[in-house]
């Protein structure tokens, strides 16, 4: 479906009361990637899954980077605002409550930027392999927002201190951050799924 401002997939809820999920793919992914994950971690939730608009050598992303782990922060800000506006459109079009973001890698990073720049947009966020998207984020009030950050101890892309800094930034803004570090790399695992399931149950 593509009438709204992002190419996206939308799957309506089949279980009332479950939070809608905003699914945000990693570099080179698309709007189909995380639908199975969304269905497994919160069966019956409405799923909203946009495709990132930035292309890096043909690979969709949610914002521009200058090198691996080095972000174009001006673009991060512009793209997070553009995505926030899409979420408002989609909530209106589909009649949705504020969604919980579930983002992987680049998708986790744009979700973190969304929280810091437009704190009213998301009800919470599961950031799978997230890192700091903004070195100097604006002062934001995330009081009471729940965030799950899942890092990989062996992740070759995200240094442990970077993930810890993201947790600290969100905590400083008042979010209730649960930071788990798994003994794995950048890819998702069964343990990520279980952590998301447990965290989402506590949230609804
Ligand atoms: C990024 O946003 O660039 C991620 O942290 C790494 C990736 O998406 O490959």
């Amino acid at each position: 479906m593509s009438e709204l401002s992002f190419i996206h997939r939308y799957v309506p809820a089949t279980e009332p009361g479950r939070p809608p999920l905003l699914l945000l793919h990693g570099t080179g992914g698309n709007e189909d990637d995380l639908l199975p994950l969304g269905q497994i971690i919160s069966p019956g939730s409405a799923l909203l899954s946009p495709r990132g608009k930035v292309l890096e050598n043909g690979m969709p992303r949610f914002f521009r980077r200058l090198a691996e782990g080095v972000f174009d922060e001006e673009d991060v800000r512009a793209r997070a605002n553009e995505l926030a506006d899409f979420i408002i459109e989609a909530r209106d079009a589909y009649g949705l409550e504020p969604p919980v973001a579930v983002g992987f890698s680049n998708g986790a990073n744009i979700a973190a930027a969304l929280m810091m720049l437009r704190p009213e947009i998301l009800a919470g966020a599961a950031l799978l392999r997230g890192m700091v998207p903004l070195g100097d984020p604006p002062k934001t009030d995330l009081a009471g927002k729940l965030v799950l950050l899942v890092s990989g101890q062996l992740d070759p892309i995200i240094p442990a201190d970077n993930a810890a800094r993201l947790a600290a930034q969100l905590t400083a803004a008042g979010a209730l951050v649960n930071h788990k570090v798994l003994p794995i790399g950048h890819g998702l695992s069964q343990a990520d799924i279980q952590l998301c399931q447990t965290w989402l149950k506590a949230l609804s």
Side-chain angles (χ1 to χ4, degrees):
M1 154 130 211
S2 58
E3 292 84 23
L4 305 184
S5 60
F6 274 66
I7 294 172
H8 67 283
R9 291 284 300 265
Y10 173 65
V11 180
T14 53
E15 283 272 337
R18 295 251 174 165
L21 301 186
L22 172 74
L23 302 173
L24 300 167
H25 63 77
T27 301
N30 66 30
E31 64 278 18
D32 293 327
D33 277 22
L34 297 185
L35 293 174
L37 176 72
Q39 267 144 3
I40 292 176
I41 61 177
S42 188
S45 276
L47 304 177
L48 178 65
S49 186
R51 184 194 301 178
K53 287 188 180 187
V54 170
L55 286 180
E56 181 185 279
N57 301 320
M59 295 185 297
R61 288 176 51 84
F62 287 96
F63 58 81
R64 227 167 71 80
R65 66 179 163 184
L66 307 172
E68 195 168 279
V70 185
F71 302 148
D72 175 342
E73 293 202 12
E74 206 180 302
D75 196 58
V76 173
R77 287 168 192 267
R79 298 289 176 182
N81 277 306
E82 184 181 53
L83 184 60
D85 293 341
F86 162 73
I87 295 161
I88 293 170
E89 277 171 38
R91 281 189 57 197
D92 195 40
Y94 301 125
L96 297 174
E97 295 293 308
V100 173
V102 178
F104 168 61
S105 191
N106 182 244
N109 301 341
I110 195 75
L114 257 178
M115 290 210 100
M116 290 166 183
L117 296 168
R118 301 279 292 269
E120 73 289 357
I121 294 289
L122 298 176
L127 309 174
L128 308 175
R129 310 298 179 276
M131 62 192 290
V132 170
L134 293 168
D136 187 17
K139 230 179 160 347
T140 318
D141 184 7
L142 293 173
K145 299 252 184 196
L146 296 181
V147 175
L148 173 67
L149 173 62
V150 188
S151 304
Q153 203 176 12
L154 309 172
D155 191 331
I157 298 174
I158 306 176
D161 64 332
N162 188 303
R165 194 146 62 88
L166 175 58
Q169 283 180 343
L170 292 164
T171 303
L176 302 169
V177 181
N178 183 354
H179 186 191
K180 298 278 188 213
V181 183
L182 298 172
I184 56 175
H186 197 68
L188 295 180
S189 70
Q190 192 60 35
D192 288 276
I193 293 174
Q194 273 155 9
L195 287 171
C196 287
Q197 283 170 332
T198 310
W199 178 78
L200 278 162
K201 263 192 206 131
L203 195 122
S204 49

